[in-house]
Amino acid sequence: MSEVKKVALVTGANRGLGLETCRQLAKQNIKVILTSRNEEKGKLAADKLRAEGLHVIYHSLDVTNPDSVARLAEFVKSQFGRLDILINNAGVLLDYAESDGSIFNLKLKTLQSTLETNTIGPLLLCQALIPIMKQHNYGRVVNVSSGAGQLHDMSTGYPSYRISKTALNAVTRIFANELEGTNILVNAVCPGWVRTDMGGANATRTVEQGVDSIVWLATLADDGPTSSFFRDRQPIEW
């Protein structure tokens, strides 16, 4: 009997790191659900990957909307009956709108909007989708974080983004620790400074380099690490 093909779901996947993650996972014969808030752009991205001969389908998702997350979970259960990989990639960097990047001038609305996407969104998706993984005692959850959220060398600038990624790291560890003893591994990853719309043209890494550790964590062996933070496939401090 042939092995059941794994199913992966990637958020914020119509461009950049998310799109390339979908591409690399699909190249490993994994069924990929590409999700995005913008339906038109998401469908175009999925069409592009299918034109490359890859097994990718599209489903709309607003990670800040609990009803949207619930609809996605129902779709996964009814369409596939399983989920093996969850990549929480959707993220925003809204601090550019602040005058000087100082936390003294941080607008509450900016912080709230950033947390909704970067922290609460992944939390909602883990709550909705990890129970599906539990049915087969297999899962790989990868939360795309940032070195900007590391507490051990926390600096100034981009306060909303930093706070949201630090909180995402906490979410990662809490889920991982509650799942200890299962074959559901939950880790965070810093892709580095990548040439995407968020990273800008001067970033030092290509998209392909940025997704390497994401895809590696998404396909860990059963004895792989959990409750850890990685960059370039190496553990780093929280």
Side-chain angles (χ1 to χ4, degrees), residues 10-215:
V10 185
T11 71
N14 62 285
R15 63 184 183 183
L17 291 172
L19 178 61
E20 186 60 27
T21 297
C22 289
R23 177 180 284 112
Q24 296 301 327
L25 290 175
K27 284 182 176 180
Q28 296 191 35
N29 199 33
I30 296 170
K31 297 178 183 178
V32 178
I33 307 168
L34 183 158
T35 72
S36 68
R37 183 169 54 183
N38 186 305
E39 187 169 342
E40 180 180 0
K41 292 180 179 179
K43 287 180 175 179
L44 287 173
D47 288 343
K48 178 180 180 180
L49 295 182
R50 282 195 293 269
E52 298 174 14
L54 302 174
H55 191 149
V56 177
I57 65 170
Y58 175 76
H59 197 282
S60 63
L61 172 65
D62 179 353
V63 300
T64 69
N65 185 328
D67 291 336
S68 180
V69 173
R71 287 193 295 271
L72 175 65
E74 286 303 314
F75 170 79
V76 171
K77 286 187 284 189
S78 64
Q79 187 76 14
F80 300 102
R82 66 183 298 126
L83 183 70
D84 304 283
I85 299 166
L86 169 61
I87 312 292
N88 282 312
N89 168 73
V92 294
L93 175 55
L94 304 179
D95 292 293
Y96 286 125
E98 306 298 335
S99 59
D100 60 2
S102 170
I103 196 168
F104 286 102
N105 299 318
L106 173 61
K107 295 179 175 63
L108 180 58
K109 183 177 180 181
T110 302
L111 177 59
Q112 289 173 329
S113 296
T114 303
L115 287 169
E116 283 179 354
T117 298
N118 293 2
T119 308
I120 298 172
L123 171 63
L124 292 174
L125 283 154
C126 286
Q127 288 178 328
L129 297 175
I130 289 177
I132 303 175
M133 296 176 170
K134 285 182 175 180
Q135 295 176 13
H136 300 277
N137 193 36
Y138 181 95
R140 304 291 182 262
V141 179
V142 184
N143 292 327
V144 180
S145 187
S146 170
Q150 290 177 272
L151 283 174
H152 86 280
D153 65 351
M154 182 62 66
S155 184
T156 59
Y158 311 111
S160 293
Y161 186 75
R162 289 183 184 278
I163 292 168
S164 72
K165 292 302 186 180
T166 301
L168 177 60
N169 289 347
V171 168
T172 301
R173 296 204 67 176
I174 294 168
F175 272 109
N177 292 342
E178 286 210 21
L179 292 163
E180 187 176 1
T182 72
N183 193 22
I184 301 173
L185 310 178
V186 186
N187 293 288
V189 61
C190 171
W193 189 21
V194 183
R195 289 193 289 277
T196 62
D197 288 353
M198 181 184 292
N202 295 324
T204 56
R205 296 187 175 204
T206 66
V207 174
E208 291 79 8
Q209 290 171 322
V211 305
D212 177 75
S213 292
I214 298 173
V215 174

Side-chain angles (χ1 to χ4, degrees), residues 210-227:
V211 305
D212 177 75
S213 292
I214 298 173
V215 174
W216 171 68
L217 287 169
T219 54
L220 286 172
D222 289 349
D223 60 350
T226 191
S227 192

